Amino acid sequence: MVDLNALVVRGEDAERVPLPHGGGFRLLADASGTGGALGANTLALGEGADGARPHFHAVSHELFYVTEGAVDFLLDGDPVTVGEGGLVVVPPRMPHAFGAAPGTTAELLAVLTPGVERFGYFRALGRIQHGLEPFDGLLPEQDRYDVHFVPTAGPWR
């Protein structure tokens, strides 16, 4: 049976998770809201702020669309900078990291497909960034969120 319901998330209704550099996540869609098809969020990054340390997804592709500024990516050890309007698609198991390019702020749309329930992951990252929880608390949750952290795989900050 096909689900004939559309998911509509208005900007003002999206949950926001603030980050200390002035940016933050806007949680748009989790797997449960899309029948497992995808998860989507936006991320605003303060000037030169890291978005994610090196990691990979065992199951999902991750798509990044840069809506503002410029983003430095580390893709399987190779650095690349992508500006506004640029797109990056990372296949499963490819180590990657990203952050606002030095001297710039950035905003991007991230889509993970197939979807994984990850809103809890983004909420935890917000608490970690604000010093309310240790990063190590995420390590036992790597399979649950399909985020597997790796040692720096190249010239990452």
Side-chain angles (χ1 to χ4, degrees):
M1 175 180 260
V2 175
D3 183 358
L4 298 178
N5 295 311
L7 174 65
V8 176
V9 181
R10 291 179 174 77
E12 65 271 15
D13 295 333
E15 179 182 346
R16 286 172 169 66
V17 177
L19 297 174
H21 52 68
F25 295 100
R26 197 163 33 142
L27 308 182
L28 300 171
D30 224 351
S32 58
T34 64
L38 60 89
N41 66 279
T42 63
L43 175 58
L45 294 167
E47 189 173 311
D50 275 345
R53 63 178 59 194
H55 66 284
F56 69 89
H57 307 288
V59 176
S60 298
H61 285 78
E62 191 165 25
L63 175 149
F64 298 96
Y65 177 72
V66 181
T67 59
E68 291 181 21
V71 179
D72 285 343
F73 288 89
L74 184 66
L75 303 170
D76 202 18
D78 294 323
V80 63
T81 300
V82 178
E84 185 172 322
L87 178 78
V88 173
V89 178
V90 181
R93 301 208 168 275
M94 177 180 280
H96 59 285
F98 60 92
T104 68
T105 61
E107 186 163 332
L108 49 95
L109 169 69
V111 178
L112 198 73
T113 182
V116 175
E117 292 294 312
R118 293 199 335 153
F119 282 6
Y121 170 76
F122 297 120
R123 292 176 189 122
L125 283 178
R127 292 188 300 272
I128 290 166
Q129 289 286 317
H130 285 284
L132 302 174
E133 292 181 12
F135 175 79
D136 289 350
L138 274 181
L139 298 179
E141 304 294 338
Q142 293 181 92
D143 287 332
R144 174 181 176 191
Y145 295 127
D146 192 23
V147 178
H148 304 274
F149 301 102
V150 297
T152 300
W156 192 243
R157 355 174 174 182

